[in-house]
Amino acid sequence: MTYTLSLGQRVRLTEIESTAVCADPVAIDDAVRGRVRASRETLEKFVAEERVIYGVNTSMGGFVNWLVPVSKARQLQENLLNAVATNVGPRLDDTTVRAIMTSRIVSLSRGNSAISLTNLEKLIAVRNSGVVPCVPEKGSLGTSGDLGPLAAIALVCIGQWKARLDGEVLPGAEALRRVGIEPMELSYKEGLALINGTSGMVGLGSINVAQAKRLLQAYLLVSALSVEALAGKTKPFDPRVHKLKPHKGQQAVAEFLWDTLADSTLAVDELDTEHLLSGEMGDETKAGSQSIEDAYSVRCTPQILGPVVDSLAWIEQVVEDELNSSNDNPLVDPDEAEVFHNGHFHGQYVSMAMDHLAIAMTTLMNLSNRRIDRFLDKSNSEGLPAFLCQEDPGLRLGLMGGQFMTASLTAETRAKAMPMSIQSLSSTADFQDIVSFGFVAARRAREVLENVAHVVAFELLCACQAADIRGTDGLSPATRRLYEQTREVVPYLDHDETITDYVEALAQRLLTQPGLG
């Protein structure tokens, strides 16, 4: 199915991710073609009038004060691509590269970047061809856009650098030849239009946000299952009390848990506890057989996950706004018949959003980590066996080892939550004197998501193990579906075995499968 961009259409982050994952082709309609053509014609008029415009008849970056005749435009633009394509490290995966290319196409299709229609259509053709430029993931400042990642893509489009095609790494020119695409010939401003924007961090950020939304939605159901498996009390989730603290995310989480647990007999009605403790009252101070309240990792779930829900809504809005922007410099607006030197390439919005995503997901992970400890600690699990080892304890170690992994990932992830958006360093002879590191922030947020998914996967494994020990007949209908889906991957563990494959399979499901449960 082809995804067609229309003029004035707001593109959703979910559309970037889904087309990238499925490798669906993208296209533009005639209105977009007309707008792109008008922007280019406006710039050509300015060139004929001998206006001095950055990246057209001037050099770029630290050489901004150098004037370059338009007769050298192609050489200047190709030199730009080669000069800034300095990223290093592992190559981005195919899905991420497709998301980045699609994000750049979306921005250029707004028709304010003065790229020629011919070269925009060649960029689209490369995106749809199966040719995937090799993009090293480290080295972007995220200001003047994602120059390094986008230049790696642009170089392939002009027949240079390297690309993957059907799993084979080829010279860019050979990859284009095999799919029947002639390399771009760049004129003034066009190399700059291809790379001087935030599409790298937006493409990766789009995938991050989509995965974070799936993980958060799944975790709400995991939370309900954990409440049941830990014999938690439901009254703290009563929507009536949450009306007294008007945070939308908190209220939504509480309502979800309240409704989901309504038919559970594993979760505890607080009134039953009250009646039991009332019967134990006497004239002497003594310990009751149960506690009237649960630990924070159960009782405070709405107050902890509520900010995550609210933060993710804001993060999605920010990244989607950036996706639907013209974010290079200069911009040529055909409606105003004017060229604007600007700083729209600066990635601070996305950088801060990705930092917030890392913090929000780390918060979720902290909650999961504490619940895991409650599941495995016999003194805190409301009657469950130590390390959820029902059969042959001592001879077997049960799920003890899984906590080693989750504690390690939790510590590592907390370190990754240090914001990148405040780590500015000056470069380019102090011309690029404050930068965003937005692509680095997006890359780190991706690593955080992967870690968090593995911690949550182990909590889910523990919750299902505990539910089996308590008796699954008491599960609510919704948590029973989640339990059954989990049991398709992980059996009840009545013997010790390596659980790595189980945890990794569950983590992948949490990140990629919508509607778990």
Side-chain angles (χ1 to χ4, degrees):
M1 179 178 178
T2 300
Y3 180 72
T4 302
L5 297 168
S6 300
L7 198 63
Q9 165 192 357
R10 184 171 178 86
V11 181
R12 303 296 179 184
L13 297 188
T14 52
E15 294 163 336
I16 298 297
E17 192 235 10
S18 63
T19 57
V21 169
C22 299
D24 290 338
V26 298
I28 55 176
D29 66 10
D30 288 341
V32 170
R33 292 187 183 90
R35 173 79 184 195
V36 169
R37 192 180 292 112
S39 180
R40 185 66 187 178
E41 289 171 352
T42 302
L43 179 59
E44 291 170 348
K45 175 177 178 293
F46 294 156
V47 170
E49 295 169 351
E50 298 185 343
R51 294 184 62 174
V52 177
I53 300 171
Y54 177 81
V56 174
N57 46 23
T58 78
S59 189
M60 290 159 280
F63 285 122
V64 63
N65 59 320
W66 286 70
L67 302 176
V68 180
V70 293
S71 61
K72 299 182 182 294
R74 180 174 178 176
Q75 183 179 352
L76 175 63
Q77 299 301 312
E78 291 188 3
N79 287 345
L80 168 67
L81 300 187
N82 281 285
V84 303
T86 53
N87 269 31
V88 296
R91 278 34 174 174
L92 295 172
D93 61 276
D94 290 6
T95 296
T96 300
V97 175
R98 283 192 292 268
I100 291 171
M101 294 180 75
T102 306
S103 297
R104 193 77 210 124
I105 291 165
V106 170
S107 182
L108 296 174
S109 294
R110 295 180 63 82
N112 298 305
S113 301
I115 192 171
S116 67
L117 180 59
T118 297
N119 281 334
L120 174 57
E121 289 183 328
K122 284 191 176 182
L123 177 62
I124 294 170
V126 174
R127 158 61 179 77
N128 294 341
S129 68
V131 171
V132 181
C134 295
V135 182
E137 67 176 25
K138 295 185 178 182
S140 177
L141 291 177
T143 307
S144 272
D146 291 311
L147 296 178
L150 294 176
I153 294 169
L155 282 172
V156 172
C157 293
I158 66 171
Q160 297 184 28
W161 186 230
K162 292 175 285 188
R164 294 187 296 271
L165 179 62
D166 298 327
E168 183 181 359
V169 177
L170 302 166
E174 174 62 14
L176 294 185
R177 186 192 68 77
R178 290 193 186 184
V179 296
I181 298 174
E182 288 292 322
M184 292 181 183
E185 293 185 9
L186 301 179
S187 183
Y188 44 79
K189 185 18 175 109
E190 293 196 281
L192 196 58
L194 289 168
I195 69 170
N196 186 224
T198 56
S199 302
M201 64 185 82
V202 168
L204 179 51
S206 299
I207 295 173
N208 288 346
V209 171
Q211 291 188 342
K213 287 175 65 178
R214 283 193 287 270
L215 180 56
L216 175 58
Q217 191 59 45
Y219 193 59
L220 294 178
L221 195 53
V222 173
S223 294
L225 180 57
S226 286
V227 170
E228 292 177 296
L230 287 168
K233 299 169 184 65
T234 58
K235 192 172 182 181
F237 312 134
D238 191 324
R240 293 175 297 177
V241 71
H242 290 276
K243 290 180 181 177
L244 306 180
K245 194 173 185 184
H247 293 301
K248 291 182 179 178
Q250 176 182 321
Q251 291 176 346
V253 173
E255 184 176 4
F256 177 88
L257 292 174
W258 181 256
D259 291 344
T260 301
L261 296 171
D263 297 323
S264 173
T265 58
L266 284 181
V268 175
D269 185 335
E270 189 176 302
L271 286 176
D272 293 339
T273 304
E274 282 188 41
H275 292 150
L276 175 65
L277 293 175
S278 178
E280 296 175 3
M281 283 286 186
D283 296 331
E284 300 295 329
T285 301
K286 62 180 179 180
S289 60
Q290 294 185 23
S291 174
I292 194 63
E293 289 187 333
D294 292 318
Y296 292 2
S297 57
V298 175
R299 176 164 38 112
C300 297
T301 298
Q303 292 84 355
I304 297 166
L305 293 184
V308 177
V309 171
D310 290 336
S311 292
L312 193 51
W314 174 80
I315 292 162
E316 182 175 21
Q317 178 73 38
V318 167
V319 180
E320 194 167 281
D321 283 348
E322 190 73 27
L323 170 66
N324 287 278
S325 71
S326 297
N327 48 63
D328 50 294
N329 171 56
L331 291 172
V332 181
D333 186 342
D335 293 336
E336 299 294 335
E338 187 54 278
V339 58
F340 295 95
H341 292 103
N342 70 89
H344 284 6
F345 49 71
H346 202 290
Q348 196 70 23
Y349 265 110
V350 180
S351 187
M352 291 179 68
M354 290 296 100
D355 281 345
H356 279 283
L357 183 61
I359 291 169
M361 291 296 106
T362 302
T363 298
L364 185 154
M365 180 202 61
N366 282 337
L367 179 59
S368 185
N369 173 272
R370 289 298 80 212
R371 291 194 190 139
I372 288 166
D373 188 67
R374 301 199 78 78
F375 275 123
L376 300 183
D377 186 346
K378 182 178 180 180
S379 63
N380 288 322
S381 65
E382 300 294 334
L384 294 170
F387 307 109
L388 298 175
C389 184
Q390 179 83 332
E391 297 82 13
D392 301 321
L395 178 62
R396 293 179 52 230
L397 276 69
L399 294 177
M400 185 188 302
Q403 192 171 22
F404 306 161
M405 176 271 294
T406 57
S408 177
L409 290 184
T410 299
E412 176 186 329
T413 304
R414 287 172 177 172
K416 292 181 184 295
M418 169 64 75
M420 282 304 306
S421 57
I422 60 171
Q423 305 296 335
S424 179
L425 289 170
S426 181
S427 71
T428 324
D430 220 29
F431 184 65
Q432 295 175 310
D433 58 348
I434 181 165
V435 300
S436 77
F437 292 118
F439 193 82
V440 183
R443 184 163 48 80
R444 293 218 324 192
R446 178 186 62 185
E447 294 169 1
V448 166
L449 278 165
E450 291 171 352
N451 286 352
V452 174
H454 285 88
V455 174
V456 171
F458 186 66
E459 180 188 341
L460 176 56
L461 190 155
C462 289
C464 290
Q465 184 84 357
D468 274 317
I469 292 170
R470 292 197 191 276
T472 58
D473 289 346
L475 292 172
S476 75
T479 56
R480 171 166 290 282
R481 286 193 296 273
L482 177 61
Y483 165 84
E484 290 172 350
Q485 289 172 339
T486 306
R487 284 288 172 252
E488 294 172 3
V489 178
V490 187
Y492 174 76
L493 296 172
D494 58 3
H495 61 283
D496 286 353
E497 62 173 297
T498 303
I499 64 169
T500 295
D501 288 345
Y502 295 144
V503 172
E504 291 182 340
L506 287 177
Q508 186 66 16
R509 282 191 172 200
L510 290 165
L511 289 173
T512 61
Q513 287 191 13
L516 275 179

